[in-house]
Amino acid sequence: MVIGSSTRRLVGKQAESSLTGFGLLRRFAPTILVLLLFIVLWLVVASRTSPYVLPSPVSVFRQLVTLFVDGTVWTHVGATLYRVTAGFLLGTVLALLLGLVASSSPVLRLVLRDLSSILNATSVFVWIVLALIWFGLTDRAPIFTTLMITIPVLMSNVFEAIDSLDRRLLEMASVYRFTALDRFVHITFPSVIPYLFAGMRVAFALGLRVSVVAEIFGVSTGVGYMMNFARDTLRTDAVFAWALILITMMLLVDNIIFSPLLRWLTRWR
């Protein structure tokens, strides 16, 4: 009797696992099909054009293998992640501090909102040029550029969270004579967190792209530098390989860090 019950549970788990696997396959089947069609089209077009213009998927894959085997990828991916993470974290801290300031005064909130709009309208190339003038060929140039691009995105989300605060909680804080810091810690900050995480997801992706562009002009390591170096040496297959590495970096960060954090945050709420 016990054996039969255990067997049924085992069969049930296997069936559930099979259904889960089938569900995942059905979920990603259209995307996989489109990717396969894209690769076939890529092969056909590459066979009729110069490798300098469009290398074949085979040559790009070989270049990827070479980059991983000789360890080149780890050095430059690590450099890029360090720069974008430093600028991104600085932007997050500043956005929270500005949120504290904005929550204390409607006038300051209006001024900071206008400042955020100005920063958002400023071209990334302005910050890149200024970073090169101020910091030269150092890590601080892409870090500064990433910081200036991510701040307005995060500030916009923080201000949106502040505008959506429960007015009853603010009235209660006024009745109990909360200080500006207490109001921020106990009311504003918990309300800002969901909006902040949503903004962080977008800001990090934007910061990664911007940091790579800054690396083309200002440093001698990183994914952007290697893409530019491959272009200078007429290695289009390497340009494609580094582009695929960049896409993979963003997908991994999004699915390993931000997606689990957002799921945890939703469960907590």
Side-chain angles (χ1 to χ4, degrees), residues 211-219 221 223-228 231:
S211 180
V212 169
V213 174
E215 288 174 346
I216 293 177
F217 299 97
V219 292
T221 56
V223 175
Y225 166 77
M226 290 304 295
M227 290 185 70
N228 191 50
R231 180 192 64 83

Side-chain angles (χ1 to χ4, degrees), residues 45-236:
V45 176
S47 65
R48 301 184 179 184
T49 57
S50 167
Y52 172 72
V53 177
L54 183 65
S56 70
V58 176
S59 63
V60 173
F61 178 75
R62 288 174 180 169
Q63 184 61 33
L64 273 173
V65 172
T66 301
L67 292 174
F68 277 94
V69 170
D70 63 16
T72 302
V73 66
W74 308 117
T75 301
H76 296 283
V77 166
T80 295
L81 284 177
Y82 160 71
R83 292 163 188 148
V84 68
T85 302
F88 170 74
L89 291 178
L90 285 173
T92 302
V93 172
L94 285 175
L96 282 173
L97 292 176
L98 292 173
L100 172 60
V101 173
S103 64
S104 63
S105 169
V107 176
L108 288 175
R109 191 183 317 162
L110 181 62
V111 173
L112 289 173
R113 191 185 296 275
D114 291 339
L115 177 61
S116 176
S117 299
I118 293 172
L119 292 176
N120 206 27
T122 305
S123 171
V124 61
F125 289 101
V126 173
W127 300 122
I128 291 175
V129 172
L130 290 176
L132 291 176
I133 294 172
W134 292 340
F135 304 110
L137 304 179
T138 65
D139 286 340
R140 287 175 292 177
I143 290 174
F144 171 78
T145 306
T146 303
L147 170 66
M148 299 309 297
I149 291 299
T150 56
I151 277 183
V153 177
L154 295 169
M155 284 175 62
S156 297
N157 283 66
V158 170
F159 293 152
E160 184 179 351
I162 293 174
D163 290 340
S164 64
L165 285 175
D166 191 339
R167 299 303 167 190
R168 292 172 298 180
L169 293 177
L170 294 177
E171 291 174 1
M172 181 189 69
S174 177
V175 169
Y176 285 97
R177 297 181 180 180
F178 279 23
T179 64
L181 180 60
D182 288 335
R183 187 166 57 246
F184 179 80
V185 171
H186 298 290
I187 298 176
T188 305
F189 184 71
S191 301
V192 163
I193 286 295
Y195 290 86
L196 182 64
F197 269 97
M200 287 169 66
R201 198 172 190 174
V202 176
F204 188 89
L206 180 61
L208 181 59
R209 292 194 290 268
V210 167
S211 180
V212 169
V213 174
E215 288 174 346
I216 293 177
F217 299 97
V219 292
S220 58
T221 56
V223 175
Y225 166 77
M226 290 304 295
M227 290 185 70
N228 191 50
F229 178 77
R231 180 192 64 83
D232 289 340
T233 55
L234 306 181
R235 293 297 308 272
T236 311

